[in-house]
Amino acid sequence: MTEPDAKKAAAPKAGTASKAGAAPKRRRADAERNVSALLAAAKKVFDTSGVDAPAKQITDLAGLGVGTLYRHFPLRSDLVKAVVQSNIDACAAAGPRLAAAHEPADALAAWLRAYTELLGTKRGLASALHSGDPAYEALPGYFLDTLTPTLTALLDAGVAAGTVRDDIAAPDLIHAIANLCLAVPGADPDGPYGFAHSRRMVDLLIDGLRTG
Amino acid sequence: MTEPDAKKAAAPKAGTASKAGAAPKRRRADAERNVSALLAAAKKVFDTSGVDAPAKQITDLAGLGVGTLYRHFPLRSDLVKAVVQSNIDACAAAGPRLAAAHEPADALAAWLRAYTELLGTKRGLASALHSGDPAYEALPGYFLDTLTPTLTALLDAGVAAGTVRDDIAAPDLIHAIANLCLAVPGADPDGPYGFAHSRRMVDLLIDGLRTG
DNA sequence: GAGTGAAGCGGAAACCTTTTCCGCTTCACT
DNA sequence: AGTGAAGCGGAAAAGGTTTCCGCTTCACTC
């Protein structure tokens, strides 16, 4: 959901297209397919080879030419941004699903762990965020804007059920966990300050969230 | 070149300078001078143009050829590493100087602020640490190893003078401040979660360190 | 001082990626 | 089928890093 595509463009004829705001420009079906393929390939390649993997690797995996990549993502950072946003979106989407499947407090815990996992496993993506590149400046905001509603819903459900304390705000939690996962940069992921450590701290935090 | 040979070689022969059975390899004076020039130039260029600045910019500023750069720093990451270490060393060296010039508690506060400044201003360097590149894996350890003794001395002096609480360990403080300075990646440095915010949090922490 | 072996230097060239460009293909709509 | 534009592939340009090697300069000896 990172594309400005208005699914099912409502204006089939709309002769007066050149009107205020959004352009009713339709995208060709193959182009849309290619963008998805590129995004999927990039996600896979970033996971296995890091965010600095050559573009060629991605286009090869997607079975497309480099030109196609750069048509849809003019700057390399655009691709990274799209992948990050897609990850965030997926994380946000998991909220309602978990809420439907578990007790409120459990759903909350599960979601926070998923969020932790996202931050902890996409090391390359996280580092891109920290690169200082102006291209990524908007991402933290997107992060917060997208996840806050989801987390707020989970928290509220827990509070309503009386199993989650009511004095914690979603953005604070999002920040706190992000900080915990960033703890020590180059540390061994399984070492004293690595990802395992972060996970433990988050579990602690989750326990603290429950009432009783 | 173009440098006035200010000094003459000191050690004629018999490498008595060798320590711990290391190889008595002598380095040519001009080479040593060039390494310093390169390091100074890199520091300046990294500050103004970021860690991704082209190598040419650095060698031009140093008045040397690219070949010379790559002779001394075979990988780009070697240069970054060297600059970071040099920054850390400078920070550590400031400890005794501050201790001699101020009351123990004030010296401690001043040093912690300098440390904060180091973390907060060298954005590019910090991001390099977070890049996940294996080349930088050893740096956090160097960080801790180099700064811990300095900070421990400052803390101890304060404790001895009775003006600093005695239940805080140096490494914990180093970690805590590092975390505070990393708060939110792409945020505006002067915004709600930017560097100014980090500085405020650190000041709070410093106040908490004093007794009474 | 000159002589000499080797460390060190400069910068062109090789090598890689990213980004641009453009002729050809494919789609969407008649 | 016909048509015009969106979209595609991949070669080439642009830009950066790393290697290579002939020449220079140093350190040290006689």
Side-chain angles (χ1 to χ4, degrees), chain B residues 84-121 142-158 164 168-178 181 195 199 202-203 205-207 209-210:
Chain B
V84 172
Q85 292 191 343
S86 145
N87 277 323
I88 298 175
D89 289 345
C91 189
R97 209 170 54 237
L98 289 169
H102 304 280
E103 284 294 302
D106 292 338
L108 174 63
W111 188 85
L112 289 177
R113 285 203 193 87
Y115 172 54
T116 304
E117 219 66 20
L118 168 67
L119 290 170
T121 53
Y142 185 81
F143 225 88
L144 216 52
D145 291 348
T146 307
L147 298 182
T148 296
T150 299
L151 180 52
T152 298
L154 287 166
L155 282 169
D156 285 352
V164 171
I168 303 292
D172 289 346
L173 213 43
I174 290 172
H175 273 134
I177 292 182
C181 291
F195 182 35
R199 218 170 341 209
V202 172
D203 275 348
L205 205 149
I206 291 175
D207 282 349
L209 240 37
R210 297 178 190 265

Side-chain angles (χ1 to χ4, degrees), chain A residues 28-149:
Chain A
R28 264 168 57 167
D30 58 341
E32 203 138 338
R33 229 181 303 125
N34 286 337
V35 170
S36 300
L38 249 7
L39 219 53
K43 219 178 286 194
K44 199 169 302 183
V45 169
F46 283 172
D47 275 357
T48 56
S49 309
V51 267
D52 290 330
K56 187 81 176 12
Q57 205 174 327
I58 294 167
T59 56
D60 283 355
L61 181 60
L64 297 166
V66 250
T68 304
L69 208 198
Y70 279 88
R71 158 171 311 282
H72 297 298
F73 306 98
L75 266 36
R76 168 162 264 272
S77 57
D78 292 331
L79 218 206
V80 175
K81 223 170 4 183
V83 170
V84 172
Q85 293 190 342
S86 145
N87 277 323
I88 297 174
D89 289 344
C91 189
R97 210 170 52 236
L98 289 169
H102 305 280
E103 284 293 303
D106 292 338
L108 174 63
W111 189 85
L112 288 176
R113 285 202 193 87
Y115 172 53
T116 304
E117 219 67 20
L118 168 67
L119 289 170
T121 53
K122 314 289 186 201
R123 258 57 204 19
L125 305 184
S127 76
L129 287 185
H130 279 271
S131 70
D133 186 326
Y136 302 122
E137 260 171 20
L139 276 179
Y142 186 81
F143 223 88
L144 216 52
D145 291 348
T146 306
L147 298 182
T148 296

